[in-house]
Amino acid sequence: MKRLQLIALAMIAGSISCTLRASEASRSLSTLHLKIINTGTNPTGVLTVDFHDPTCYRDPLNALYSPCTDGKQAFFIDSDTSFTLKREMPWRQDIRIGVGARMDTHHAVLLSAPGDSASLTLDFGKICGNDDTGFVFGGKQGSLNAQINACEKYLSQLSKTIRFPRDSSAYGLYPEKTAQMQDSLARYSARAKLSKAAKEWARQTIPARVYIQLRETLGFYQIDFPFLSQIASNDLQSLTFSGAQAFLTDYAQRGFSLFSDRPENKALTPWERIVRFAGTQPASPSRDFMTFQLVAQTLQEQGAPDIPDTEPASFFESPYFSDRTVRAVRAERERTDIRFPETPLKEICYFDKQDDTVDTVSGKDIFGLLRSRYAGKVVYIDVWGTWCSPCIAQMSELTELQKKYEGKEVVFVTLAVWSPRERWVEIVGEGKIPGECFLFDFASATVFSTVCDFYMFPSHLLMDRSGRIVTRYAPVGISSAGAAIDRLLKDN
């Protein structure tokens, strides 16, 4: 599988002690007013907004995946666009905004006291031009939020100046580099006249920033596991509360991969490997969280039918990770309520293999289109891209699967995303892509991927005869996919 990294930077989820204690944060809500404008001759395009709930870092059952998100929305922006979104928010709200054809990512952090409101006005045209004045913060915490976001930009730029050697000596420099960033922050704080809360927020983000830079320098597979263990014991709370989700995931995955590479463990199922890996770690809340991350990732990427519905209560120390764990993750994995915005997708192209022509279908969401075209049939959907070599390589299996169900009430559909039309027509015309072939224009592909939460390709969905999406993580391969399709044919 090839992962399309539209969003490269882990979000910050720090705690501001003078704003609200962590124990209070999960129970207290504010109101967020997000206003989006685009006036004059500003460009048109797509804007995506990804909301993150920092309380998930304190309630691991909510942290099913990394990063922790509680809402994604996508909008087509025209030259005279202006509207406001109103939503409840925890004491802190992290927002990631994507704009432009390449979906350049911007970040905003908002704090609000319980019962108050926070506001953020986004000027789409200015954001497209990387103009900082495109973000205007309001509400009682407007000044603080403006300072925090100025710090966010400063620390992002500062972290890029950190240089680590590309060998094991880099690990010993971690404390020194962290201290250097703290010194730079102190000088910046004096110049910018930061408030106490803003300085505390920025200080807590630094360990995570240094670690992320080290990770990017050495690469995940070169990260030394003993070094990760040392960071876990010394700075885990700081890293966790400053949003270093990448660290926790790296720690679990790195230890898990080292454990799985041992000859005596290669024959174990993913679940058995998780259990044994956990058994090698000292009992602690961090071990529970890391093990939970592995369970979530295994369910998300593999389906892992061998993972039981419940685990022994003694497996985890934390009450968060009792026998609810697998059920909670599995429920999220099987969530099928995909909601498109009221604005329909701009353009969907269909390749007619009978006469090698391309038809354009506008004004519909893709699932509505498939329900109307293939009513009463099981629909297996493969989401791919012309740029994705694993996607194309896997098409041979899809071809075999299609042959198996020839003449039956099953339709195989391929949806190409972020793919140039000319290249798509070329590949489909060569007969390399089976089934009914559709293509999104780039803007519609962005809306589709954002709303459906697809950032790994190829991805697969399965619809039953009634047009209901049965799963967003359909199995692949002749045997597994065939078994799932057979069940739907039998049930209907």
Side-chain angles (χ1 to χ4, degrees), residues 393-406:
Q394 197 176 350
M395 289 297 177
S396 60
E397 292 186 2
L398 191 63
T399 299
E400 293 299 316
L401 196 60
Q402 181 177 255
K403 290 179 180 178
K404 177 180 178 179
Y405 289 94
E406 188 172 353

Side-chain angles (χ1 to χ4, degrees), residues 35-145:
K35 185 176 182 180
I36 299 171
I37 61 174
N38 191 34
T39 57
T41 59
N42 287 339
T44 61
V46 176
L47 179 142
T48 65
V49 182
D50 195 354
F51 298 97
H52 295 256
D53 183 353
T55 62
C56 70
Y57 295 101
R58 289 180 283 277
D59 180 358
L61 263 185
N62 290 331
L64 297 176
Y65 302 108
S66 172
C68 184
T69 180
D70 72 336
K72 299 188 179 195
Q73 299 189 45
F75 309 92
F76 293 108
I77 303 297
D78 296 321
S79 58
D80 59 350
T81 295
S82 181
F83 60 93
T84 301
L85 299 177
K86 181 180 178 181
R87 59 178 276 131
E88 290 184 331
M89 63 172 279
W91 68 280
R92 174 191 171 112
Q93 182 73 76
D94 292 0
I95 306 175
R96 292 188 298 194
I97 300 115
V99 295
R102 295 180 301 165
M103 295 313 295
D104 294 329
T105 303
H106 303 265
H107 307 87
V109 181
L110 292 98
L111 300 181
S112 181
D116 288 341
S117 63
S119 67
L120 172 60
T121 299
L122 302 177
D123 190 316
F124 180 81
K126 290 182 178 179
I127 295 173
C128 285
N130 289 317
D131 184 344
D132 288 343
T133 62
F135 294 85
V136 178
F137 301 92
K140 290 185 177 181
Q141 302 290 342
S143 177
L144 174 62
N145 287 330

Side-chain angles (χ1 to χ4, degrees), residues 38 79 118 145 175 251 259 279 341 379 382 392 421 426 456 477 488:
N38 191 34
S79 58
N145 287 330
Y251 183 58
F259 178 82
V379 182
D382 185 309
I392 297 175
R421 177 168 170 162
E426 178 185 356
M456 178 177 288
L488 293 182

Side-chain angles (χ1 to χ4, degrees), residues 170-329:
Y171 304 121
L173 297 177
Y174 179 85
E176 176 184 330
K177 299 297 184 180
T178 301
Q180 289 176 358
M181 279 199 71
Q182 297 285 12
D183 290 341
S184 297
L185 173 65
R187 292 191 293 271
Y188 173 80
S189 299
R191 295 196 307 272
K193 298 181 180 179
L194 298 182
S195 65
K196 182 179 179 181
K199 287 189 287 187
E200 176 65 10
W201 177 89
R203 184 191 65 78
Q204 290 185 0
T205 70
I206 286 179
R209 291 302 176 93
V210 177
Y211 170 72
I212 290 172
Q213 192 62 29
L214 176 64
R215 182 184 190 268
E216 292 178 352
T217 301
L218 296 180
F220 165 66
Y221 289 104
Q222 296 184 50
I223 291 291
D224 183 70
F225 188 63
F227 167 75
L228 292 178
S229 298
Q230 181 181 2
I231 296 296
S233 61
N234 293 338
D235 294 327
L236 182 60
Q237 183 175 6
S238 174
L239 285 165
T240 302
F241 282 96
S242 60
Q245 193 78 354
F247 168 80
L248 288 172
T249 303
D250 284 357
Y251 183 58
Q253 289 181 344
R254 184 60 173 152
F256 185 63
S257 63
L258 292 174
F259 178 82
S260 300
D261 288 342
R262 297 173 185 172
E264 65 271 22
N265 296 324
K266 287 186 176 294
L268 299 178
T269 67
W271 174 245
E272 290 170 337
R273 292 180 185 179
I274 290 172
V275 172
R276 289 202 181 182
F277 166 71
T280 65
Q281 307 304 307
S284 66
S286 61
R287 181 203 67 174
D288 288 352
F289 190 94
M290 295 167 194
T291 305
F292 178 77
Q293 288 290 95
L294 289 176
V295 173
Q297 180 186 352
T298 303
L299 272 172
Q300 183 185 26
E301 296 183 358
Q302 301 180 25
D306 58 285
I307 291 186
D309 288 333
T310 61
E311 312 104 71
S314 60
F315 188 79
F316 295 111
E317 281 193 340
S318 169
Y320 287 121
F321 304 109
S322 63
D323 57 0
R324 299 177 297 168
T325 304
V326 169
R327 289 204 303 270
V329 182

